[in-house]
Amino acid sequence: MSEEKFQPKIVAFVCNWCTYTGADLAGTSRLKYQPNVRLIRLPCTGRIDPVFIIKAFEKGADGVLVSGCHPGDCHYNLGNLHARRRFILFSELMNYVGIDSSRLHFSWVSASEGKKWVDVINEVIDTVREVGPFKKYQKINKEFVLHE
Amino acid sequence: MNELREKAKELLLNNTVKLIIGYANGNGHNRTYPFIARNAADANRLVFNEYCVNNLAVYLTRKEFKGKGIIGIVAKGCDVKAIIQLIQENQINKDEVYIIGMNCNGAVNQLDNSFEKTTLAQKCINCTVRTPALYHALIGTTKDIEEPADTLGEKIKEVEKLNADSRWDFWEAQFEKCIKCYACRQVCPLCYCEQCIVDKTVPRWIESSAHTRGNFSWNIIRAFHLSGRCIGCGECERVCPMDIPLSMLNRKMSIIAKKEFDYSAGVSLDSPTLVGTYNMKDRQDFIK
Amino acid sequence: MDEKLITLNNLKIFAEELLKANYTLILQDKQGIRWEKISNSDELHISSKLKPTKASFKEFVFSKTEPIFYFNNKNDGVELIDSNLSAEKMVFFGSKPCDAKSINIMSKVFNWDYKDNFFNTKAENSIVIGMLCEYRDEFCFCTSVNLSPVSSDGSDLFLIPTDENNFAIRIVTEKGREFIQPFLKLFAEGNPETTDQIFKKINLPEKGFESEVIRSWIGNNFEHKYFERAGEICLGCGQCAFVCPVCHCFDIVDEECGYSCGRRMKNWDACQFSLFTLHGSGHNPRHNQTQRYRQRISHKFKYYVDKFDEILCTGCGRCSRGCPVGIDIGQIAKEVHSLAANKV
């Protein structure tokens, strides 16, 4: 291989009841998707504090996906509805400071949507691969890092 | 001014309020500073003029004053918005504050932290609450004032026009300057958390070091925590020693709240807060 | 005392030569916010009438954040790696007497028992070119803390504008003499007596208080109710400490760099923060803002004087100009002085 493809690091914050189970279904159904994603399971999208997303970028993520139950399906009835409102505000803010929708993604994937999960995650990885490594954030991450 | 002092004296003498948070003249300088009046003699030192820039609502949630009886406060329309927001968020009891509302003709822009140029403050442009929305006593009269153009909105639009990388560069250059003195947080009436997320150490979500990365997360998260809550008093930007244009963040979030949810902070005493509620019809075109 | 003369043009050439000789030139920025490095002698703008920047040049000798060391968890134990000390040669160009003095004052605490290499290295690599100050506002009080707009204390070289395009430059320290040696061709000989005449014409800020009176009053009136009045409106931000040229408190925190490594950072801290004295147990010996404000005044005018015979204040007035609630330290000192005079 002379020309290696850029392999982005994607962090996906997923809810326990829908998307995580959906991803599980993708696995048990032997569906294949690109392996660039690290799943972090949380009880609910309502539990996802935007500070987690910033932390993911600080730890070197090139893109972040937040995924949970469809509206109305939330295990806790309202968690994803509160989350949706929060992420409208947060995604606009992130866009304003220069982290646009090519790096920050959101989706609803239910427990039965193994195929949708595969499609979503492939799409996210391809989008991030296209915009390349998150050099801007890596620059501020590298401040005061020890070079030997 | 006399009207204010008389009212303050009356309130203090008949024990309607325990103390009054107001403004007094700075010592010979052309500025005023927050002042706590506890008796009639103190009341005679109270002033109100265009140099009263501070938002005194910040004192209402401080443990020295909160829950210690009825507090009188001298408040402009914008300060009253903060008080309304605090009542809406159940931070202060409506019955424990006595608002001496001031009809306001605009505060001056505190350039370079001295009043060399007496232009109208940014927050006073297009002000809709020159007469406070809530008060127990109302003092003074409003008159027509000349309003300069709203340059803040223009500045925000300019940044919005840039591409993502340039927007990042703009904000990176701003946040790099931050020295983490937390003047923005301390002066903000809505930053009342007993423990701020930046002070939490287990786990430490936001690095307390003032390097660009720590500054970036701090300023972003503060803007986010204030979205739908910031009433636009502009105090954070005024006090920032490094001149970071924080109003550009907070105003942007207010614009989004208005556009997406038709919501403005500091208006309603009893409706649910912006992020404390939801609507089945909330936009989800950004969600796959 | 040796004195040289230089024209504005030659001063620019001087700056150019310094840049070529790998010196970092640091000046007040044009917006009046902080000091910044310049890369081109055209950016050299100095004037005795400039308003002090909001932040002092402290951050170049005592960084707002810097790594002390790095740690690395290995199979056979923890490896510690020292952080590299910068050997950058810095020149603070056109510093006001109230800024120039800061390195000397801070160096006392940084060399008191433990020798702080971070500060010392940077201080040793710094040259302070002070400048006579003709800026005055109601917040300036350098004369009250035994400084003056014409003081060359703390400067290595001291610039005195003789007219619009000419300067006299006084060689104050041996370090300054060595520094200027390679560039002497740009300078003409000067006469200290002429500049002494200029000094006499400079009007000084009025002396508002005697620092010695403040020191002894604080010692006898620790519980005085005056502090309650002064401290009750303080909101507890760190603006005053962070813009101060001599406030030197710092906090130490660990930050992770990866899964098994990290760095220990030294960050500015301020006595007005409620977390400053908070114990791990939850007990806070300075539990209200009044006590914290008293600490600020006492440290500046009493404790530091007692320990190092130096007032921890240069009278620059930065903290008062920038205070969100208008607390004016010069005014407070004046009030304390009158309390002491009236024995209340």
Side-chain angles (χ1 to χ4, degrees):
Chain A
M1 273 217 293
S2 57
E3 205 174 293
E4 268 190 39
K5 258 202 301 190
F6 162 59
Q7 297 297 350
K9 280 187 203 145
I10 310 290
V11 175
F13 295 99
V14 297
C15 95
N16 176 44
W17 304 98
C18 291
T19 305
Y20 192 83
T21 320
D24 225 12
L25 179 65
T28 47
S29 315
R30 299 283 186 271
L31 298 173
K32 277 189 180 167
Y33 58 85
Q34 301 175 66
N36 303 51
V37 63
R38 280 83 167 155
L39 289 194
I40 295 175
R41 177 167 65 153
L42 292 131
C44 176
T45 37
R47 171 65 185 96
I48 301 170
D49 188 321
V51 85
F52 298 176
I53 296 171
I54 289 189
K55 206 72 190 171
F57 285 122
E58 284 189 357
K59 293 281 157 212
D62 299 299
V64 170
L65 169 69
V66 173
S67 186
C69 310
H70 288 268
D73 286 358
C74 180
H75 187 78
Y76 310 97
N77 295 343
L78 309 173
N80 56 355
L81 298 172
H82 282 288
R84 177 170 67 184
R85 189 159 261 221
R86 212 181 291 153
F87 288 126
I88 292 172
L89 293 165
F90 189 65
S91 61
E92 290 273 358
L93 173 63
M94 290 299 259
N95 185 31
Y96 183 53
V97 296
I99 302 179
D100 64 12
S101 56
S102 60
R103 300 208 182 268
L104 185 51
H105 301 260
F106 301 88
S107 67
W108 302 136
V109 175
S110 80
S112 60
E113 293 176 319
K115 179 72 180 67
K116 182 177 176 187
W117 170 253
V118 171
D119 294 342
V120 163
I121 205 67
N122 277 331
E123 190 193 329
V124 169
I125 292 167
D126 290 340
T127 318
V128 177
R129 180 174 288 131
E130 203 165 298
V131 287
F134 201 167
K135 288 197 179 126
K136 296 271 180 194
Y137 221 114
Q138 278 154 22
K139 187 186 140 209
I140 64 170
N141 282 339
K142 277 186 192 134
E143 220 181 346
F144 297 118
V145 164
L146 180 68
H147 299 288
E148 283 196 54
Chain B
M1 198 112 82
N2 276 338
E3 205 185 335
L4 168 65
R5 287 177 184 171
E6 289 311 314
K7 186 74 203 171
K9 248 181 270 183
E10 177 199 319
L11 293 172
L12 285 165
L13 287 177
N14 65 17
N15 282 325
T16 312
V17 298
K18 209 170 163 251
L19 49 87
I20 291 173
I21 307 168
Y23 306 90
N25 271 325
N27 308 290
H29 310 314
N30 197 9
R31 59 199 262 163
T32 64
Y33 66 97
F35 174 72
I36 316 295
R38 291 197 165 81
N39 51 44
D42 287 348
N44 268 334
R45 289 182 59 190
L46 290 175
V47 295
F48 187 79
N49 54 35
E50 65 271 35
Y51 300 112
C52 297
V53 285
N54 289 69
N55 186 343
L56 301 179
V58 63
Y59 289 104
L60 292 176
T61 52
R62 290 173 67 85
K63 65 172 185 228
E64 289 89 343
F65 303 114
K66 189 180 170 182
K68 301 265 166 75
I70 300 177
I71 307 290
I73 181 166
V74 179
K76 309 183 286 289
C78 45
D79 309 346
V80 169
K81 273 171 103 176
I83 298 172
I84 293 174
Q85 185 68 25
L86 286 172
I87 296 172
Q88 186 191 8
E89 294 178 13
N90 286 324
Q91 292 306 311
I92 50 174
N93 190 334
K94 200 162 74 178
D95 305 323
E96 287 190 350
V97 56
Y98 187 102
I99 303 170
I100 307 177
M102 305 303 291
N103 270 318
C104 172
N105 293 311
V108 298
N109 199 8
Q110 199 181 12
L111 277 180
D112 305 333
N113 286 346
S114 67
F115 298 108
E116 282 155 10
K117 293 176 194 156
T118 47
T119 50
L120 195 68
Q122 177 66 52
K123 64 175 169 183
C124 304
I125 301 169
N126 298 333
C127 176
T128 53
V129 285
R130 287 175 50 199
T131 298
L134 178 73
Y135 53 81
H136 299 90
L138 183 66
I139 287 173
T141 47
T142 55
K143 58 174 190 234
D144 283 338
I145 52 171
E146 205 179 308
E147 288 187 5
D150 182 10
T151 51
L152 181 58
E154 291 304 310
K155 276 198 243 163
I156 292 173
K157 278 189 198 130
E158 263 168 44
V159 172
E160 282 169 344
K161 269 185 230 150
L162 302 170
N163 63 24
D165 278 358
S166 312
R167 286 199 297 274
W168 173 279
D169 291 342
F170 173 82
W171 286 108
E172 188 194 325
Q174 297 300 333
F175 296 151
E176 179 271 322
K177 296 190 284 188
C178 175
I179 51 177
K180 292 250 173 86
C181 69
Y182 303 126
C184 46
R185 175 185 79 187
Q186 295 306 107
V187 83
C188 177
L190 277 321
C191 270
Y192 50 68
C193 290
E194 285 247 325
Q195 195 187 19
C196 177
I197 186 164
V198 75
D199 290 334
K200 288 201 170 110
T201 49
V202 191
R204 181 174 282 294
W205 286 112
I206 299 174
E207 287 161 320
S208 59
S209 306
H211 44 49
T212 314
R213 180 169 87 173
N215 294 347
F216 191 88
S217 9
W218 159 243
N219 284 285
I220 293 301
I221 289 300
R222 182 167 182 275
F224 178 69
H225 283 185
L226 281 171
S227 49
R229 305 176 58 240
C230 171
I231 50 94
C233 69
E235 282 286 273
C236 48
E237 180 167 302
R238 175 181 72 87
V239 302
C240 179
M242 305 315 274
D243 278 12
I244 300 170
L246 294 165
S247 290
M248 283 179 71
L249 284 172
N250 294 329
R251 171 77 74 89
K252 171 73 181 173
M253 295 319 285
S254 308
I255 293 171
I256 295 166
K258 186 77 191 163
K259 191 180 98 196
E260 301 285 347
F261 309 105
D262 193 26
Y263 181 94
S264 303
V267 173
S268 159
L269 281 173
D270 40 21
S271 71
T273 56
L274 178 65
V275 288
T277 185
Y278 65 91
N279 188 327
M280 286 306 283
K281 290 190 188 120
D282 282 346
R283 168 166 84 87
Q284 58 170 3
D285 53 355
F286 65 104
I287 302 173
K288 289 187 186 79
Chain C
M1 197 175 294
D2 248 2
E3 191 156 308
K4 310 279 174 201
L5 297 174
I6 189 166
T7 60
L8 182 59
N9 252 347
N10 271 1
L11 201 64
K12 284 198 175 150
I13 299 171
F14 180 42
E16 192 64 40
E17 300 266 308
L18 287 174
L19 287 169
K20 271 188 212 147
N22 268 335
Y23 281 98
T24 307
L25 295 193
I26 302 168
L27 274 84
Q28 294 200 213
D29 70 5
K30 290 198 170 91
Q31 299 80 35
I33 300 167
R34 57 177 177 176
W35 288 66
E36 61 182 16
K37 299 177 179 175
I38 62 165
S39 50
N40 189 324
S41 63
D42 289 340
E43 297 167 55
L44 188 81
H45 80 120
I46 52 170
S47 156
S48 56
K49 296 198 172 85
L50 284 182
K51 180 174 183 166
T53 43
K54 286 189 179 181
S56 68
F57 68 57
K58 168 172 84 173
E59 68 170 298
F60 290 96
V61 283
F62 169 48
S63 304
K64 60 180 180 178
T65 179
E66 68 183 327
I68 305 174
F69 61 78
Y70 296 85
F71 47 92
N72 208 346
N73 208 352
K74 291 190 162 174
N75 287 338
D76 52 349
V78 179
E79 173 195 26
L80 295 183
I81 306 152
D82 278 336
S83 74
N84 277 333
L85 294 181
S86 154
E88 199 177 14
K89 295 184 289 181
M90 295 180 286
V91 180
F92 299 103
F93 221 108
S95 149
K96 293 178 179 299
C98 52
D99 272 339
K101 187 77 195 294
S102 68
I103 294 181
N104 279 1
I105 296 181
M106 277 195 290
S107 124
K108 301 225 164 155
V109 71
F110 284 126
N111 289 290
W112 150 52
D113 59 357
Y114 179 78
K115 305 261 178 285
D116 188 301
N117 272 335
F118 300 91
F119 175 83
N120 285 343
T121 313
K122 286 175 188 160
E124 277 158 24
N125 285 323
S126 304
I127 292 284
V128 180
I129 306 185
M131 190 175 192
L132 172 145
C133 170
E134 291 180 276
Y135 178 83
R136 302 285 178 277
D137 67 15
E138 60 270 37
F139 301 104
C140 290
F141 62 97
C142 58
T143 45
S144 307
V145 289
N146 310 335
L147 265 172
S148 105
V150 299
S151 160
S152 56
D153 201 0
S155 304
D156 295 304
L157 300 164
F158 194 68
L159 276 171
I160 304 122
T162 50
D163 62 45
E164 253 171 47
N165 291 313
N166 289 288
F167 296 88
I169 187 163
R170 207 164 253 204
I171 297 168
V172 187
T173 61
E174 272 314 303
K175 192 173 163 190
R177 186 185 302 280
E178 269 171 45
F179 164 76
I180 205 169
Q181 205 64 42
F183 312 100
L184 274 182
K185 61 179 190 298
L186 296 167
F187 296 86
E189 275 312 311
N191 181 0
E193 280 166 25
T194 16
T195 43
D196 279 342
Q197 290 305 316
I198 297 177
F199 286 177
K200 277 183 195 148
K201 281 186 217 143
I202 296 290
N203 72 329
L204 306 175
E206 195 188 330
K207 191 164 172 135
F209 56 88
E210 281 295 336
S211 54
E212 182 49 35
V213 176
I214 313 278
R215 191 189 70 82
S216 62
W217 185 86
I218 291 173
N220 298 326
N221 295 278
F222 190 68
E223 305 278 359
H224 199 282
K225 63 178 189 303
Y226 174 76
F227 290 115
E228 279 172 32
R229 201 70 180 180
E232 70 181 353
I233 61 165
C234 175
L235 290 170
C237 75
Q239 186 275 148
C240 46
F242 288 6
V243 300
C244 176
V246 289
C247 271
H248 51 255
C249 288
F250 57 85
D251 184 25
I252 289 176
V253 293
D254 284 358
E255 275 174 10
E256 57 201 310
C257 304
Y259 293 104
S260 62
C261 59
R263 58 191 179 214
R264 183 154 292 180
M265 303 294 285
K266 182 170 123 185
N267 296 333
W268 285 354
D269 205 349
C271 54
Q272 301 307 294
F273 291 156
S274 58
L275 292 187
F276 187 72
T277 47
L278 184 67
H279 293 184
S281 65
H283 171 64
N284 195 344
R286 284 183 217 134
H287 57 81
N288 64 34
Q289 205 57 40
T290 299
Q291 294 167 338
R292 299 193 271 269
Y293 197 74
R294 176 175 65 198
Q295 166 64 22
R296 178 168 170 78
I297 302 289
S298 310
H299 193 197
K300 293 215 167 287
F301 293 105
K302 176 167 168 59
Y303 307 147
Y304 208 77
V305 188
D306 288 350
K307 201 171 181 84
F308 301 116
D309 199 22
E310 191 89 71
I311 306 165
L312 190 61
C313 176
T314 64
C316 66
R318 283 194 171 88
C319 54
S320 319
R321 272 182 214 109
C323 179
V325 294
I327 298 175
D328 181 344
I329 196 170
Q331 192 62 36
I332 285 187
K334 257 188 231 175
E335 285 173 17
V336 168
H337 185 112
S338 60
L339 281 178
N342 300 328
K343 300 223 178 355
V344 272

